Amino acid sequence: VQLVESGGGLVQAGGSLRLSCAASGTFFAIGDMRWFRRAPGQQRELVASITSGGSTNFADSVKGRFTISRDNTKNTVYLQMNSLKPEDDTAVYYCNARIVIRHGASWSNYWGQGTQVTVSS
């Protein structure tokens, strides 16, 4: 199983970016999907999460600016980031998903490789 992220890059303050994370490989089901980020010198932060049923949660720092969604037919989760702020949002963003490989197996956490988001002032 692999999680492949895309959509990072350089954007000006106030701009928008959309991150995507697609799960590939052989598996039975995908549960919660999440986006984390890690800024230089800081701990990893949970940014947003979405259940398989579509319920969402957001870090206070991104509420009202970011949205998370998923397309279960494409095994893909998205993070729409608006009104980006240089110091708050510049980080490497990581996709995370809980996946069960086969029916009856345990859920496991999988991570993407990370994608850099840089917001310039």
Side-chain angles (χ1 to χ4, degrees):
V1 176
Q2 280 191 315
L3 298 181
V4 179
E5 299 139 342
S6 60
L10 175 64
V11 64
Q12 289 188 332
S16 298
L17 280 177
R18 188 194 195 207
L19 305 182
S20 300
C21 172
S24 63
T26 303
F27 47 86
F28 180 73
I30 303 176
D32 293 358
M33 302 185 83
R34 306 179 182 96
W35 287 97
F36 288 81
R37 67 186 178 188
R38 176 173 282 162
Q42 297 189 20
Q43 291 187 334
R44 185 177 63 194
E45 174 190 22
L46 175 60
V47 176
S49 64
I50 184 167
T51 68
S52 57
S55 297
T56 60
N57 275 294
F58 298 91
D60 288 343
S61 58
V62 306
K63 282 181 180 176
R65 300 189 297 121
F66 290 12
T67 59
I68 187 171
S69 61
R70 64 192 285 171
D71 184 339
N72 292 330
T73 66
K74 296 180 179 180
N75 299 319
T76 299
V77 63
Y78 306 96
L79 185 68
Q80 178 66 44
M81 306 184 293
N82 299 327
S83 302
L84 286 162
K85 304 176 182 179
E87 293 183 358
D88 293 352
D89 300 322
T90 294
V92 178
Y93 285 70
Y94 297 91
C95 172
N96 168 269
R98 287 184 60 78
I99 294 174
V100 60
I101 297 297
R102 60 185 180 278
H103 180 65
S106 300
W107 292 90
S108 297
N109 265 324
Y110 290 86
W111 292 88
Q113 80 283 2
T115 185
Q116 176 70 46
V117 171
T118 303
V119 185
S120 63
S121 57

